[in-house]
Structures are given as structure tokens and as C-alpha cells.
Amino acid sequence: ARDAETFVAVYSSSPAPFTILSLALIALGILGFTGVVPATAALLDEPRSGWVTFGKNVALLSLAVIVVYYAWFLSTIPSIAAAYRAAPPDLRAAIALDVPHVPANWVTWFIFGGMGLWVLVVGVTGRRERSLPRGFGWACAIKTTGFWIALGGVQGNIVPVAQIGVVLGVLVGGPLYH
């Protein structure tokens, strides 16, 4: 409850960073779902590989969950924040209980766990089949490792570990991968 109350107070004073992040995740989710994942699976000759099909399906599910969650978040949090701002101080904690954890721990299983699995499948299959450049496997390893470190940090509520994972997986591995 205390984390939710802190979040609502921060969001209420400055919603732009959360809104921009949510819109970016929605856009990237749609792009990944409609283009990147299917094209990568086709490049890896998906019909011949159950491993690629499984990884693709996990990635598509993960991207769909990300899009739906952040669309829901954007549609609900502004009204909760407005009610929080308007409420007397003794009622704010009760209003904050309606706030989803950001990001909800279960959503991070899809963001970092499911997508990390997909990147691992891409790296292993690309190397095994020699359908991707040899160095690309390193980009996949960096991105997957970062994603799974971030997942562990979020699930363990260890913020510095989550931050290290995000930097490694998103800011370092992401550009190398894409």
C-alpha cells in the first residue's frame, strides 16, 4: 500500500514520464507483434523448428500482454490519480490501493521473462542454423542476460539489480540486437 501511495503521489505530480513509457511499450509491443517476431521466425525457418514456434508463441503472448496491460494502465491511472489528489489526506491511502503496481510483478514475467526466452531462441537457432551472423549470438546473450537479471531484480524487489538488468538488456543489448 505504501508503494502504491508513493507511486500515485509521484504520478500525480508528473504523469508525463509514465505516460511516455507506457505509450512506448504499447508501440513497441504492436511493432513486435505485427512485424519483428513473425519476420524473425520466418528468417529462422519456423516451419522446421518446434523450438522457434514455441519461442515465437511465447513472444507473441508476451507482447500482447504488454500492450493490453499498458493500455489498461493508461486508461485507469489518470482517474485514480485525480481522485487521489482530490481526496482528503486520510482517504488517500485507501484510493492508492486501487493502483496497479508499476509495472506489476506478473507483467515483468512477460516483459523480461518471455521476451528473454524469445531472444535466447533467436540466438541459439541463428547460431545453430548459421542463419544469422556469428556475432549476433553475443547480442542475444547480452540482451537475454540483461532481461533475466531485470526479472530477478523486480521479482526479488532489489531495485539496483533490476536497474542493472534493464541497462544491460535494454540499453546495451537492445541496440546490438536490433
Side-chain angles (χ1 to χ4, degrees):
R2 187 97 174 114
D3 289 344
E5 194 169 354
T6 300
F7 169 75
V8 174
V10 170
Y11 179 88
S12 293
S13 68
S14 183
F18 298 102
T19 301
I20 292 167
L21 175 63
S22 296
L23 290 171
L25 288 168
I26 291 167
L28 290 170
I30 292 169
L31 179 64
F33 191 91
T34 60
V36 176
V37 171
T40 304
L43 176 70
L44 296 173
D45 198 14
E46 177 194 0
R48 293 184 354 173
S49 174
W51 176 237
V52 173
T53 299
F54 173 75
K56 179 187 93 171
N57 290 336
V58 167
L60 293 174
L61 173 64
S62 296
L63 292 166
V65 167
I66 292 165
V67 169
V68 169
Y69 174 79
Y70 282 99
W72 168 78
F73 177 82
L74 284 177
S75 70
T76 59
I77 197 64
S79 61
I80 293 170
Y84 178 86
R85 284 190 308 272
D90 54 335
L91 291 180
R92 288 183 175 177
I95 292 169
L97 291 176
D98 282 341
V99 175
H101 186 271
V102 182
N105 283 347
W106 65 269
V107 173
T108 60
W109 282 101
F110 294 97
I111 295 172
F112 299 120
M115 294 310 298
L117 177 65
W118 169 242
V119 174
L120 176 67
V121 167
V122 170
V124 169
T125 305
R127 182 163 173 83
R128 186 184 67 226
E129 301 294 325
R130 293 189 171 100
S131 55
L132 297 169
R134 186 171 192 193
F136 188 73
W138 286 107
C140 293
I142 292 167
K143 188 171 181 175
T144 299
T145 300
F147 276 14
W148 288 350
I149 289 171
L151 176 62
V154 170
Q155 294 301 314
N157 202 24
I158 307 166
V159 174
V161 172
Q163 290 170 331
I164 289 168
V166 168
V167 167
L168 184 63
V170 176
L171 297 179
V172 176
L176 292 172
Y177 180 88
H178 292 284

